[in-house]
Amino acid sequence: MISYSLVDFRPIIPELVLLFFTFFILFIDFAIPKAKKKINGFIALIGVAVTLVVVLSLYGSSWTGFNNMIIFDKASGFVNIILLLTAFVAILMSLDFIKREGINFGEYYVILLFSLIAMQVFCSTYNLIVMFLAVETLSISMYILTAIKRDGLRSIEAAMKYFILGSFASSFLVLGIALIYGLFGTVDLLRVKELLTGADSLHTWIALVSFVLILIGFGFKIAAFPFHAWTPDVYEGAITPMSAFMSIAPKAASFMALMRLLVVGMFPIQVEWVKLLWIIAVFTMFFGNLVALWQKDLKRLLGYSSIAHAGYMLVGITAANSLGYGAVLFYLFGYIFMNLGAFSVAEYISKKNVEGCLIDDLRGMGYKYPLAGAAMLVFMFSLSGVPPTVGFIGKYYLFSAAVKSHLYWLVILGVINSAISAYFYLNVIVTMYMKGGAKEEVVSFPSPYLRAAIVIGAVGTIIFGVAPGSVLNVALSSIVF
Amino acid sequence: MEWLLLLCVLSPAVGCIINGLFGRWTYRAAGVIGSTFLGISFALAVPLIIYAIQGHVVDYSYYHWIVSGKFTVPFGLRLDSLSAMMLGVVTFVSFMIHIYAIGYMGGHKGYARFFTYLNLFVFAMLLLCMGNNYLTMFIGWEGVGFCSYILIGYYYEKKTAADAGRKAFVTTRIGDIGFIVGVLFIILYFGSVKFTDVFAQAHMISPAIITIITLALFLGAIGKSAQFPLYVWLPDAMEGPTPVSALIHAATMVTAGVYMVARSAPLYALSPTGSLVVASVGAFTALFAATMALTHFDLKRILAYSTISQIGYMMIGVGVGAYWTGMFHLMTHAFFKALLFLSAGAVMHAMHGVLDMRLMGGLRHKMPQVCIVMIIASLAIAGIPPLSGFFSKDVILSEALMLGHPIIWLVGVVTAFMTAFYMFRMIFFTFFGESRVPEGMHPHEAPSVMLVPLWVLAVGSIVIGGILGVKVHGHISIEHFISLTSPNAFPIVHKYSETLLIIISIIAGVLGIAVAWLAYIPKGAFSFRSFVVRTFHPLYRCFFNLWWVDEIYNFLFCRPFWHVSERFLWKAVDVKVIDAGVDDVGRVAGLTGRAVRILQTGFINNYACWVSAGALIICGWYLLKIM
């Protein structure tokens, strides 16, 4: 007989706070007429902000609850901060946008917050079953959010692809978990680690294959090669705030879970997974960057670019030292500002009821909207890793972690990729400033909240590029396993 | 206090941002805005300086800029007696020059742009002076270099101005490499760039390394402070607007090298060789530049050569190890040289841009006030008591002699004579004698917005030396103050009668003025001059052609460099190897991308196939290993 006490609820305080706001929106939604659904958005914004404050004040505590099924440590605290910041900016991007597109349903924010809670759980557990539940909850929320524009062909198509491929990948995940349970009789990674340390070679190899199956499930979530194929289609088809949200939040949670899986559960077979990850990281970087060279659509470009960036972060994990893990967390943190910023600019010039956004449409934007243009310039520089932006600092620490582990070839290939990527990022800048006037006039989407999102992105990109010290230290010290 | 200090340093940056971003709207107000933020900075500097005079030191790191293992670079500021003095000089003189520039630059194109750059310059200069480590100093060092470049080339449509800017940038860059090497050595051997850490460990490092560091750092100072052989950029820098010449190329930036040596005093004190090099280069430059100023007719270029020469004096001061004398001369020089430049600017303003003294003469009737302040400044630089230049120059020479450098002392005295001569040659040529002003030009007195700063600086030029330099109760206040931070490095070897030395230097100054008077004022002065020129014809030609240094550099460095760049590096290496290589890499990447893109079909079954194939390959690989 297992009994729980109030103490068990400590690690899920952030989730509970957010859950409160989510239900609050759900209940009052009936009373709010369709024209005023923005109120929901504001409540969601407040809820996220309050949760952020709660997480910040709890940061540093270390709790476990419910028979070690859920934990709250520094790492999950830091990832929580990343998730909440991302959600905050994504909601800012949505406030006016979903009204323009005629999809300002009450459930939009509710599902967004549900997915956020799932991610919070996902990054704070060592239990494979809890991970599976979280990953399913977040995936289902994501499918719905992709299809939220229910009269748009592209978004329905994208959601369908996402759903089918996602379910397919989940089957690998659940098969892997089942095998692990069959082998060791437990789904707790901490326990698996102990058992695996003393296991004979047959058990070890089967465990390895089971872990690979789980890795495939996670690889799908972080869009690593060859499990990446859904990414560009989904980013292009989904509404822009959702593409932006999806490009960071689920990845941040998945990277955290991946690190728990690799660094704790698979610790005894580190030699093997380092080799595997080395190959996956290289392919992911090359695939993302090479294909991005040919993209004409800004959102697709950012889709491929996000595959490449997942590759860079995999370099940090492949380094298999605490500097690398910390660098991954810092990179995710910086990625919020540069990537959300870039998506915000894409939204800024998007036209009503058009999912895509051609790079060619950016012509002359640098002159017509100098501030948005300058912000885009900052984001592109940061994504290609030019100092003094956060993208440079992030990449610097990822690669220096790999150097520390003597993975010189990996770093050389990574730097080559960085050079390739400069071409298509700079191409955006060239289009904005040097390709002459627009074919048709660039029109902006005049939303003050969207402007705020762009400003947050630009300021964050530069500030954390010039003075990364404090956040970097927090990120590096968050890694305690 | 540390936040007051930060505010004081940041204030010009705020002005720069406001004028830079909103210059289109602040147009008329730009000058007032720029000056206001400088005024704030100066007002904040006053309590800070008083705090430093009371003997306090502020050393505060605001945040860590670079953290790499054990090595950290903080962004921090330091207020001690040395930097407090610089703080006072920089903010005060800049403030005066900003006010002057409101009048001088009125109606010029890009008025707001000018003040943006000027404020940026002051911000960089304050970083240079107030930084608490070598890298913060280096940021300021590069910052002032950059501002100097854009301000020399301020009239960028004019080819000579754009060329002069580039020359300044490239020449000082040679010195900057030395500075970087010095800082890298410091990082390598000390593991820190903070002044306090470096100086505390200095005695544990081998003297040879210290000498290398001091020489490398001094190379930076040679470039920045226009010492031989890298002085060639400074005369050309006079293409910039006159307030710029006064602020950057006379009062503040060019003295940064002197400040850097005085700041690194604990290192130079451990390296007699390094110090001797500093003093010798200083002495040679002082004499060399003075000879070039003797025969010139361009008002601002004479002042430029005089600046080079005077910085040579400061280098003597810091080179012989009496850091306070160099800093003292730096301070008095900032006053009288800024005054000279601003007066020259007033003349130039009245003459519609003419700087050739052969087209002036008799201007004292047209602009009496400018004439008076310029004579005050010239007396000060000539070392006539009780003006400020007398005190500071005299202590440099007497310390040099007492610390055992008689040749340097002699060079200094000869230079002092020449200085007095060329300054008064300039005065007599410009303000006295027959008017040679071309027809249709009507010189007039400067407006009061320009006159007020002139008079303030004139008062400073008269009294500042006396206030700080007179011996009271056996010690000189400026010596005591600077020695708190940078005490004298070497012991005194010979004692001489101070009165005798003072008399010698006064004689040198008076003699110079007298010869100038003889050569330009009385009837028959012309025949006297031509007699002298004929007698010393080879020497005169050397002086007049500036020793052909520019031509020699051109022949030795620029042309070979140009040939190598154009024929080899550009046409062979760049076009045929690098460009072609980059193109090929780009082509390969592009083609691969296009090939891989075919995989992205858009069909779910293809995507699922990918996932399965990946899973099969990975799992299959491991399963094969088991068997």
Side-chain angles (χ1 to χ4, degrees), chain A residues 11-40:
Chain A
I12 56 166
I13 291 172
E15 285 89 339
L16 288 176
V17 174
L18 203 53
L19 198 63
F20 168 79
F21 282 96
T22 315
F23 279 125
F24 187 67
I25 298 173
L26 206 54
F27 288 140
I28 64 160
D29 183 40
F30 299 109
I32 298 173
K34 188 157 189 242
K36 292 188 177 167
K37 293 287 188 199
K38 221 184 206 179
I39 296 171
N40 285 348

mmCIF file of all heavy atoms in Angstrom, chain A residues 11-40:
data_model
loop_
_atom_site.group_PDB
_atom_site.id
_atom_site.type_symbol
_atom_site.label_atom_id
_atom_site.label_comp_id
_atom_site.label_asym_id
_atom_site.label_seq_id
_atom_site.Cartn_x
_atom_site.Cartn_y
_atom_site.Cartn_z
ATOM 1 N N PRO A 11 7.355 18.941 -5.547
ATOM 2 C CA PRO A 11 7.995 19.072 -6.859
ATOM 3 C C PRO A 11 7.066 19.494 -7.987
ATOM 4 O O PRO A 11 7.548 19.925 -9.025
ATOM 5 C CB PRO A 11 8.574 17.674 -7.122
ATOM 6 C CG PRO A 11 7.948 16.777 -6.158
ATOM 7 C CD PRO A 11 7.481 17.588 -5.007
ATOM 8 N N ILE A 12 5.760 19.371 -7.784
ATOM 9 C CA ILE A 12 4.879 19.767 -8.894
ATOM 10 C C ILE A 12 4.182 21.093 -8.607
ATOM 11 O O ILE A 12 3.154 21.412 -9.215
ATOM 12 C CB ILE A 12 3.852 18.670 -9.235
ATOM 13 C CG1 ILE A 12 3.029 18.288 -7.998
ATOM 14 C CG2 ILE A 12 4.510 17.465 -9.845
ATOM 15 C CD1 ILE A 12 1.799 17.487 -8.360
ATOM 16 N N ILE A 13 4.745 21.900 -7.725
ATOM 17 C CA ILE A 13 4.135 23.213 -7.459
ATOM 18 C C ILE A 13 3.992 24.038 -8.743
ATOM 19 O O ILE A 13 2.910 24.563 -9.032
ATOM 20 C CB ILE A 13 4.938 23.989 -6.393
ATOM 21 C CG1 ILE A 13 4.775 23.302 -5.032
ATOM 22 C CG2 ILE A 13 4.464 25.437 -6.295
ATOM 23 C CD1 ILE A 13 5.676 23.861 -3.958
ATOM 24 N N PRO A 14 5.059 24.142 -9.590
ATOM 25 C CA PRO A 14 4.904 24.947 -10.810
ATOM 26 C C PRO A 14 3.776 24.436 -11.689
ATOM 27 O O PRO A 14 2.959 25.228 -12.202
ATOM 28 C CB PRO A 14 6.245 24.787 -11.517
ATOM 29 C CG PRO A 14 7.195 24.384 -10.470
ATOM 30 C CD PRO A 14 6.412 23.615 -9.465
ATOM 31 N N GLU A 15 3.699 23.113 -11.831
ATOM 32 C CA GLU A 15 2.656 22.538 -12.652
ATOM 33 C C GLU A 15 1.283 22.858 -12.079
ATOM 34 O O GLU A 15 0.355 23.201 -12.820
ATOM 35 C CB GLU A 15 2.829 21.007 -12.745
ATOM 36 C CG GLU A 15 3.953 20.548 -13.650
ATOM 37 C CD GLU A 15 5.287 20.430 -12.930
ATOM 38 O OE1 GLU A 15 5.447 21.067 -11.862
ATOM 39 O OE2 GLU A 15 6.180 19.717 -13.425
ATOM 40 N N LEU A 16 1.177 22.791 -10.748
ATOM 41 C CA LEU A 16 -0.118 23.047 -10.121
ATOM 42 C C LEU A 16 -0.553 24.493 -10.326
ATOM 43 O O LEU A 16 -1.714 24.768 -10.607
ATOM 44 C CB LEU A 16 -0.048 22.724 -8.628
ATOM 45 C CG LEU A 16 0.037 21.230 -8.299
ATOM 46 C CD1 LEU A 16 0.192 21.031 -6.794
ATOM 47 C CD2 LEU A 16 -1.197 20.502 -8.806
ATOM 48 N N VAL A 17 0.410 25.416 -10.195
ATOM 49 C CA VAL A 17 0.075 26.831 -10.386
ATOM 50 C C VAL A 17 -0.449 27.052 -11.799
ATOM 51 O O VAL A 17 -1.488 27.696 -12.011
ATOM 52 C CB VAL A 17 1.322 27.715 -10.139
ATOM 53 C CG1 VAL A 17 1.007 29.166 -10.483
ATOM 54 C CG2 VAL A 17 1.766 27.599 -8.697
ATOM 55 N N LEU A 18 0.259 26.479 -12.766
ATOM 56 C CA LEU A 18 -0.149 26.656 -14.153
ATOM 57 C C LEU A 18 -1.492 25.979 -14.412
ATOM 58 O O LEU A 18 -2.352 26.506 -15.117
ATOM 59 C CB LEU A 18 0.924 26.080 -15.078
ATOM 60 C CG LEU A 18 0.940 26.631 -16.485
ATOM 61 C CD1 LEU A 18 1.004 28.146 -16.471
ATOM 62 C CD2 LEU A 18 2.118 26.072 -17.244
ATOM 63 N N LEU A 19 -1.681 24.825 -13.783
ATOM 64 C CA LEU A 19 -2.932 24.097 -13.940
ATOM 65 C C LEU A 19 -4.110 24.930 -13.440
ATOM 66 O O LEU A 19 -5.175 24.962 -14.055
ATOM 67 C CB LEU A 19 -2.854 22.776 -13.171
ATOM 68 C CG LEU A 19 -3.865 21.715 -13.562
ATOM 69 C CD1 LEU A 19 -3.645 21.303 -15.008
ATOM 70 C CD2 LEU A 19 -3.756 20.498 -12.655
ATOM 71 N N PHE A 20 -3.881 25.643 -12.339
ATOM 72 C CA PHE A 20 -4.931 26.491 -11.783
ATOM 73 C C PHE A 20 -5.393 27.509 -12.829
ATOM 74 O O PHE A 20 -6.583 27.670 -13.093
ATOM 75 C CB PHE A 20 -4.408 27.195 -10.526
ATOM 76 C CG PHE A 20 -5.305 28.294 -10.058
ATOM 77 C CD1 PHE A 20 -6.459 28.003 -9.345
ATOM 78 C CD2 PHE A 20 -5.012 29.623 -10.332
ATOM 79 C CE1 PHE A 20 -7.299 29.010 -8.917
ATOM 80 C CE2 PHE A 20 -5.843 30.631 -9.918
ATOM 81 C CZ PHE A 20 -6.992 30.329 -9.205
ATOM 82 N N PHE A 21 -4.419 28.182 -13.447
ATOM 83 C CA PHE A 21 -4.773 29.192 -14.443
ATOM 84 C C PHE A 21 -5.450 28.560 -15.660
ATOM 85 O O PHE A 21 -6.376 29.125 -16.240
ATOM 86 C CB PHE A 21 -3.537 29.970 -14.872
ATOM 87 C CG PHE A 21 -3.135 31.012 -13.873
ATOM 88 C CD1 PHE A 21 -2.170 30.740 -12.922
ATOM 89 C CD2 PHE A 21 -3.744 32.255 -13.875
ATOM 90 C CE1 PHE A 21 -1.814 31.691 -12.004
ATOM 91 C CE2 PHE A 21 -3.381 33.214 -12.952
ATOM 92 C CZ PHE A 21 -2.419 32.934 -12.008
ATOM 93 N N THR A 22 -4.970 27.364 -16.032
ATOM 94 C CA THR A 22 -5.552 26.696 -17.190
ATOM 95 C C THR A 22 -7.030 26.413 -16.945
ATOM 96 O O THR A 22 -7.889 26.712 -17.784
ATOM 97 C CB THR A 22 -4.815 25.377 -17.449
ATOM 98 O OG1 THR A 22 -3.424 25.613 -17.349
ATOM 99 C CG2 THR A 22 -5.133 24.851 -18.822
ATOM 100 N N PHE A 23 -7.330 25.859 -15.786
ATOM 101 C CA PHE A 23 -8.727 25.563 -15.473
ATOM 102 C C PHE A 23 -9.546 26.826 -15.354
ATOM 103 O O PHE A 23 -10.706 26.878 -15.731
ATOM 104 C CB PHE A 23 -8.830 24.725 -14.194
ATOM 105 C CG PHE A 23 -8.575 23.266 -14.442
ATOM 106 C CD1 PHE A 23 -7.605 22.588 -13.740
ATOM 107 C CD2 PHE A 23 -9.297 22.586 -15.414
ATOM 108 C CE1 PHE A 23 -7.366 21.254 -13.975
ATOM 109 C CE2 PHE A 23 -9.069 21.245 -15.657
ATOM 110 C CZ PHE A 23 -8.100 20.577 -14.946
ATOM 111 N N PHE A 24 -8.914 27.866 -14.838
ATOM 112 C CA PHE A 24 -9.602 29.146 -14.703
ATOM 113 C C PHE A 24 -10.087 29.625 -16.079
ATOM 114 O O PHE A 24 -11.234 30.009 -16.247
ATOM 115 C CB PHE A 24 -8.643 30.160 -14.074
ATOM 116 C CG PHE A 24 -9.298 31.454 -13.740
ATOM 117 C CD1 PHE A 24 -10.255 31.527 -12.743
ATOM 118 C CD2 PHE A 24 -8.960 32.614 -14.418
ATOM 119 C CE1 PHE A 24 -10.860 32.719 -12.425
ATOM 120 C CE2 PHE A 24 -9.561 33.809 -14.120
ATOM 121 C CZ PHE A 24 -10.510 33.858 -13.115
ATOM 122 N N ILE A 25 -9.173 29.544 -17.068
ATOM 123 C CA ILE A 25 -9.563 29.952 -18.424
ATOM 124 C C ILE A 25 -10.691 29.061 -18.934
ATOM 125 O O ILE A 25 -11.684 29.533 -19.479
ATOM 126 C CB ILE A 25 -8.372 29.862 -19.392
ATOM 127 C CG1 ILE A 25 -7.267 30.815 -18.955
ATOM 128 C CG2 ILE A 25 -8.792 30.211 -20.812
ATOM 129 C CD1 ILE A 25 -5.992 30.674 -19.740
ATOM 130 N N LEU A 26 -10.535 27.767 -18.700
ATOM 131 C CA LEU A 26 -11.527 26.806 -19.171
ATOM 132 C C LEU A 26 -12.909 27.132 -18.623
ATOM 133 O O LEU A 26 -13.913 27.082 -19.337
ATOM 134 C CB LEU A 26 -11.084 25.414 -18.721
ATOM 135 C CG LEU A 26 -11.542 24.218 -19.531
ATOM 136 C CD1 LEU A 26 -11.181 24.408 -20.989
ATOM 137 C CD2 LEU A 26 -10.888 22.962 -18.980
ATOM 138 N N PHE A 27 -12.980 27.524 -17.334
ATOM 139 C CA PHE A 27 -14.269 27.778 -16.709
ATOM 140 C C PHE A 27 -14.872 29.091 -17.170
ATOM 141 O O PHE A 27 -16.064 29.167 -17.426
ATOM 142 C CB PHE A 27 -14.134 27.761 -15.181
ATOM 143 C CG PHE A 27 -13.911 26.376 -14.659
ATOM 144 C CD1 PHE A 27 -13.019 26.136 -13.631
ATOM 145 C CD2 PHE A 27 -14.597 25.301 -15.217
ATOM 146 C CE1 PHE A 27 -12.809 24.855 -13.162
ATOM 147 C CE2 PHE A 27 -14.390 24.016 -14.748
ATOM 148 C CZ PHE A 27 -13.492 23.796 -13.715
ATOM 149 N N ILE A 28 -14.064 30.134 -17.273
ATOM 150 C CA ILE A 28 -14.678 31.426 -17.612
ATOM 151 C C ILE A 28 -14.872 31.582 -19.115
ATOM 152 O O ILE A 28 -15.515 32.507 -19.562
ATOM 153 C CB ILE A 28 -13.866 32.619 -17.078
ATOM 154 C CG1 ILE A 28 -12.483 32.663 -17.760
ATOM 155 C CG2 ILE A 28 -13.724 32.591 -15.569
ATOM 156 C CD1 ILE A 28 -11.860 34.026 -17.665
ATOM 157 N N ASP A 29 -14.309 30.652 -19.866
ATOM 158 C CA ASP A 29 -14.392 30.763 -21.314
ATOM 159 C C ASP A 29 -15.847 30.850 -21.794
ATOM 160 O O ASP A 29 -16.161 31.585 -22.726
ATOM 161 C CB ASP A 29 -13.693 29.559 -21.952
ATOM 162 C CG ASP A 29 -13.684 29.654 -23.462
ATOM 163 O OD1 ASP A 29 -13.469 30.787 -23.955
ATOM 164 O OD2 ASP A 29 -13.891 28.643 -24.133
ATOM 165 N N PHE A 30 -16.746 30.129 -21.110
ATOM 166 C CA PHE A 30 -18.155 30.136 -21.523
ATOM 167 C C PHE A 30 -18.744 31.533 -21.472
ATOM 168 O O PHE A 30 -19.580 31.890 -22.262
ATOM 169 C CB PHE A 30 -18.972 29.213 -20.614
ATOM 170 C CG PHE A 30 -18.506 27.804 -20.668
ATOM 171 C CD1 PHE A 30 -17.846 27.222 -19.599
ATOM 172 C CD2 PHE A 30 -18.711 27.046 -21.834
ATOM 173 C CE1 PHE A 30 -17.407 25.922 -19.653
ATOM 174 C CE2 PHE A 30 -18.271 25.747 -21.891
ATOM 175 C CZ PHE A 30 -17.612 25.173 -20.799
ATOM 176 N N ALA A 31 -18.271 32.304 -20.513
ATOM 177 C CA ALA A 31 -18.892 33.602 -20.280
ATOM 178 C C ALA A 31 -18.344 34.682 -21.206
ATOM 179 O O ALA A 31 -18.859 35.792 -21.230
ATOM 180 C CB ALA A 31 -18.667 34.020 -18.823
ATOM 181 N N ILE A 32 -17.274 34.359 -21.947
ATOM 182 C CA ILE A 32 -16.638 35.400 -22.750
ATOM 183 C C ILE A 32 -17.088 35.295 -24.200
ATOM 184 O O ILE A 32 -16.946 34.245 -24.824
ATOM 185 C CB ILE A 32 -15.105 35.272 -22.663
ATOM 186 C CG1 ILE A 32 -14.664 35.463 -21.221
ATOM 187 C CG2 ILE A 32 -14.436 36.297 -23.560
ATOM 188 C CD1 ILE A 32 -13.223 35.200 -20.995
ATOM 189 N N PRO A 33 -17.657 36.377 -24.744
ATOM 190 C CA PRO A 33 -18.085 36.341 -26.150
ATOM 191 C C PRO A 33 -16.879 36.244 -27.085
ATOM 192 O O PRO A 33 -15.773 36.635 -26.717
ATOM 193 C CB PRO A 33 -18.808 37.676 -26.333
ATOM 194 C CG PRO A 33 -18.279 38.557 -25.261
ATOM 195 C CD PRO A 33 -17.919 37.668 -24.114
ATOM 196 N N LYS A 34 -17.110 35.769 -28.306
ATOM 197 C CA LYS A 34 -16.002 35.453 -29.203
ATOM 198 C C LYS A 34 -15.126 36.665 -29.506
ATOM 199 O O LYS A 34 -13.916 36.546 -29.633
ATOM 200 C CB LYS A 34 -16.540 34.869 -30.522
ATOM 201 C CG LYS A 34 -15.402 34.359 -31.382
ATOM 202 C CD LYS A 34 -15.839 33.323 -32.385
ATOM 203 C CE LYS A 34 -14.591 32.723 -33.051
ATOM 204 N NZ LYS A 34 -14.497 32.944 -34.471
ATOM 205 N N ALA A 35 -15.754 37.838 -29.568
ATOM 206 C CA ALA A 35 -14.978 39.024 -29.911
ATOM 207 C C ALA A 35 -13.974 39.391 -28.820
ATOM 208 O O ALA A 35 -13.022 40.114 -29.064
ATOM 209 C CB ALA A 35 -15.915 40.191 -30.176
ATOM 210 N N LYS A 36 -14.238 38.912 -27.595
ATOM 211 C CA LYS A 36 -13.379 39.331 -26.482
ATOM 212 C C LYS A 36 -12.481 38.227 -25.969
ATOM 213 O O LYS A 36 -11.988 38.280 -24.834
ATOM 214 C CB LYS A 36 -14.259 39.846 -25.329
ATOM 215 C CG LYS A 36 -14.959 41.127 -25.683
ATOM 216 C CD LYS A 36 -15.654 41.716 -24.480
ATOM 217 C CE LYS A 36 -16.291 43.053 -24.858
ATOM 218 N NZ LYS A 36 -17.222 43.516 -23.857
ATOM 219 N N LYS A 37 -12.210 37.233 -26.815
ATOM 220 C CA LYS A 37 -11.416 36.090 -26.343
ATOM 221 C C LYS A 37 -9.995 36.479 -25.954
ATOM 222 O O LYS A 37 -9.262 35.684 -25.380
ATOM 223 C CB LYS A 37 -11.358 35.012 -27.428
ATOM 224 C CG LYS A 37 -12.683 34.357 -27.718
ATOM 225 C CD LYS A 37 -13.115 33.424 -26.603
ATOM 226 C CE LYS A 37 -14.359 32.648 -27.048
ATOM 227 N NZ LYS A 37 -15.096 32.070 -25.930
ATOM 228 N N LYS A 38 -9.613 37.698 -26.331
ATOM 229 C CA LYS A 38 -8.278 38.159 -25.962
ATOM 230 C C LYS A 38 -8.063 38.076 -24.452
ATOM 231 O O LYS A 38 -6.941 37.862 -23.994
ATOM 232 C CB LYS A 38 -8.134 39.608 -26.405
ATOM 233 C CG LYS A 38 -6.792 39.945 -27.008
ATOM 234 C CD LYS A 38 -6.783 41.424 -27.300
ATOM 235 C CE LYS A 38 -5.833 41.773 -28.416
ATOM 236 N NZ LYS A 38 -5.850 43.204 -28.704
ATOM 237 N N ILE A 39 -9.154 38.228 -23.681
ATOM 238 C CA ILE A 39 -9.051 38.143 -22.217
ATOM 239 C C ILE A 39 -8.393 36.828 -21.815
ATOM 240 O O ILE A 39 -7.526 36.786 -20.946
ATOM 241 C CB ILE A 39 -10.449 38.271 -21.585
ATOM 242 C CG1 ILE A 39 -11.004 39.664 -21.887
ATOM 243 C CG2 ILE A 39 -10.397 38.024 -20.083
ATOM 244 C CD1 ILE A 39 -12.450 39.836 -21.512
ATOM 245 N N ASN A 40 -8.802 35.742 -22.510
ATOM 246 C CA ASN A 40 -8.178 34.438 -22.241
ATOM 247 C C ASN A 40 -6.669 34.537 -22.377
ATOM 248 O O ASN A 40 -5.911 34.017 -21.559
ATOM 249 C CB ASN A 40 -8.681 33.407 -23.247
ATOM 250 C CG ASN A 40 -10.091 32.976 -22.935
ATOM 251 O OD1 ASN A 40 -10.591 33.289 -21.856
ATOM 252 N ND2 ASN A 40 -10.721 32.295 -23.860
#
